[in-house]
Amino acid sequence: MLDKSYLVPWGKRGSLSTDTEAAVLAELVHESTPLPAGARRERFERSFAASVGSRHAISVNNGAVALQMAIRMLDLAPGDEVIATPQTHRATVQPLLDHDVRVRFCDIDPITLNLDPAVLEALITPRTRALLLVHYGGCPAEMDTVMALARRHGFLVLEDCVHALGARYRGRSPGSLADLATFSLRNAKSSTALGEGGLITCDRDDWAERLRRLRAPDGDARTAHPRPAPAGLPGTSYATPLQRGFVRRPGGDATMPEVVAALGQAQLAGVEAAVARRRALAGRLDEVLSRYPFLTPQSAPAHSAHSYHLYTCLADHQELRDRLVLALDRRGVEIQLRYFPQHLLPQWRQRGHLRGECPVAERSWFEQHLNLPCHAMLTPHQQDYLIEALDGALAELNGGVPAPAAMPATVCGPR
């Protein structure tokens, strides 16, 4: 309900802010060094790369630009095929509309909601050039199987990690599991920059250099000019051959502002705390759901650790899902459904995609899927109320009979 003030709102801020961020902003206000100089940006890039276990991190002004630039690295040619997940935000696959390629959407696993490796293998052809996947909601995709297929068939893998900062896959971080990865620092994420920001991670030195050149039209601003500076002119900062760059290509500037990099650096230390709060609340939600067999939470494999950017559960059928959404709404709990199957959006229908192409993803969204609030900004009182409201709504759907509270949460398997 758009005009409703919710007791448990959907998260507008995904990370925790402290006095550290305020001190950073105060320092920047009084900074005498030119803010575009890049020292904070370079420090943030090094710290971010180290945090996810990647050789390089290239910062840009937002997550959508990060995806656009990463897709440029795939060097797609007319007639190439790209496999993508339909269970994601449109920004993941939207840049592919600018390329003359065939996109094949891969159906999802009904529990993890990530692309199904068995379906993926059947979609691979000699023309497959790349795969775009997302770790949906912060649940890591089955990357060992995916990367084995990619190496066997010779295609590249780009992981969209917009939900997955703080997740783990066999002890490793998303962002270091594929050929390329992208991140967003938008407000709802586990690490934010109080607005917009994005990063691309990779291990290849040549890709990192290309990405830095794509980020700004000037290329290397330290390129030497062949002529000396005019002698004796006041205000010149060069007495030897001119050390000013010259524009080598047209285009916009996607450079991350220094204030965003400084805030991103300050936020990195709080990622684990924010994710820990999400996991603690997810455990409580799991415990409630485990008592009602008609609702199943999204489940990560035992070798993975979910970051719970989204807490998603699946109802047995559409009537039940819709009744639960309305029951929670009446209790003041804001519910969202994320995301509409990408292959059924108008821009992809125009390219020939039809209903029935990804039946699991379609059934999930149209009949089963709902997302419960699960973010670091919920107060302890709001969390307690959410648990009470969820249990009350499920008891209402269970014929007014609350389920016994003693049943262990592990009956639904590992999270």
Side-chain angles (χ1 to χ4, degrees):
M1 297 172 62
L2 297 179
D3 60 345
K4 185 169 183 174
S5 178
Y6 286 95
L7 297 171
V8 183
W10 191 258
K12 305 299 187 293
R13 288 276 299 279
S15 65
L16 304 170
S17 294
T18 67
D19 291 342
T20 302
E21 284 81 359
V24 166
L25 289 172
E27 179 184 340
L28 287 165
V29 167
H30 301 289
E31 178 64 73
S32 59
T33 303
L35 290 182
R40 289 178 179 82
R41 184 177 66 244
E42 291 173 2
R43 179 189 174 202
F44 178 45
E45 289 175 341
R46 290 192 298 270
S47 298
F48 194 90
S51 73
V52 301
S54 180
R55 183 175 174 83
H56 300 284
I58 296 86
S59 61
V60 292
N61 53 354
N62 62 61
V65 167
L67 280 161
Q68 292 166 7
M69 290 175 56
I71 288 173
R72 288 278 294 273
M73 295 299 99
L74 302 176
D75 292 326
L76 300 174
D80 284 344
E81 293 183 359
V82 179
I83 300 173
T85 176
Q87 182 59 63
T88 185
H89 189 274
R90 61 183 180 276
T92 303
V93 294
Q94 194 84 355
L96 292 172
L97 293 169
D98 295 329
H99 298 265
D100 185 15
V101 296
R102 181 187 181 189
V103 175
R104 307 185 65 151
F105 285 97
C106 178
D107 209 355
I108 61 171
D109 178 272
I111 300 300
T112 69
L113 306 182
N114 290 316
L115 59 81
D116 187 333
V119 178
L120 168 63
E121 187 165 17
L123 293 175
I124 298 168
T125 76
R127 304 196 75 135
T128 302
R129 174 65 178 164
L131 166 66
L132 270 65
L133 60 81
V134 67
H135 305 290
Y136 175 78
C139 177
E142 195 55 73
M143 294 302 295
D144 282 357
T145 304
V146 167
M147 295 309 295
L149 287 170
R151 298 301 176 248
R152 186 187 318 156
H153 295 280
F155 59 85
L156 299 170
V157 179
L158 167 57
E159 50 177 334
D160 181 353
C161 300
V162 67
H163 296 168
L165 194 62
R168 294 290 183 274
Y169 176 80
R170 300 189 186 277
R172 298 172 61 195
S173 297
S176 65
L177 304 173
D179 299 292
L180 284 155
T182 62
F183 293 83
S184 171
L185 302 181
R186 202 168 190 184
N187 271 3
K189 307 305 182 288
S190 294
S191 180
T192 77
L194 303 182
E196 294 278 4
L199 295 110
I200 307 159
T201 58
C202 66
D203 287 337
R204 283 179 51 169
D205 295 345
D206 60 331
W207 278 355
E209 177 62 20
R210 283 179 62 190
L211 287 164
R212 292 186 183 102
R213 291 177 181 274
L214 279 173
R215 178 171 60 187
D218 291 330
D220 186 352
R222 294 181 293 275
T223 302
H225 194 284
R227 293 183 298 166
L233 292 181
T236 57
S237 59
Y238 28 73
T240 55
L242 190 61
Q243 295 293 310
R244 287 292 180 264
F246 52 93
V247 175
R248 299 193 294 202
R249 65 185 64 80
D253 190 339
T255 303
M256 175 179 283
E258 284 287 88
V259 64
V260 174
L263 288 169
Q265 179 73 36
Q267 284 269 300
L268 268 182
V271 169
E272 290 301 324
V275 173
R277 289 185 67 162
R278 292 175 185 267
R279 286 186 179 134
L281 178 54
R284 297 181 68 187
L285 294 168
D286 282 354
E287 197 279 328
V288 175
L289 264 59
S290 71
R291 305 198 300 268
Y292 296 92
F294 47 81
L295 208 65
T296 304
Q298 179 199 30
S299 179
H303 54 258
S304 297
H306 203 307
S307 64
Y308 290 102
H309 172 72
L310 299 174
Y311 184 96
T312 307
C313 50
L314 302 165
D316 281 355
H317 53 81
Q318 184 179 352
E319 181 187 1
L320 180 66
R321 190 270 305 272
D322 294 351
R323 288 173 60 199
L324 178 57
V325 170
L326 293 173
L328 288 169
D329 188 85
R330 287 195 302 271
R331 288 167 168 82
V333 176
E334 185 176 10
I335 301 298
Q336 295 198 4
L337 310 181
R338 295 192 170 186
Y339 299 96
F340 189 86
Q342 293 302 296
H343 63 292
L344 299 182
L345 290 174
Q347 59 267 38
W348 292 106
R349 282 183 174 272
Q350 289 176 5
R351 291 201 172 192
H353 297 279
L354 300 170
R355 185 99 182 237
E357 188 174 328
C358 298
V360 177
E362 293 165 21
R363 179 170 185 260
S364 172
W365 195 86
F366 287 109
E367 301 179 19
Q368 300 177 295
H369 184 126
L370 71 150
N371 305 109
L372 299 172
C374 185
H375 56 89
M377 298 302 291
L378 289 175
T379 67
H381 175 73
Q382 287 175 318
Q383 292 187 30
D384 291 345
Y385 182 80
L386 171 60
I387 297 301
E388 178 185 335
L390 178 62
D391 202 13
L394 291 173
E396 177 184 315
L397 299 181
N398 198 40
V401 181
M407 189 176 294
T410 53
V411 297
C412 285
R415 302 287 177 259

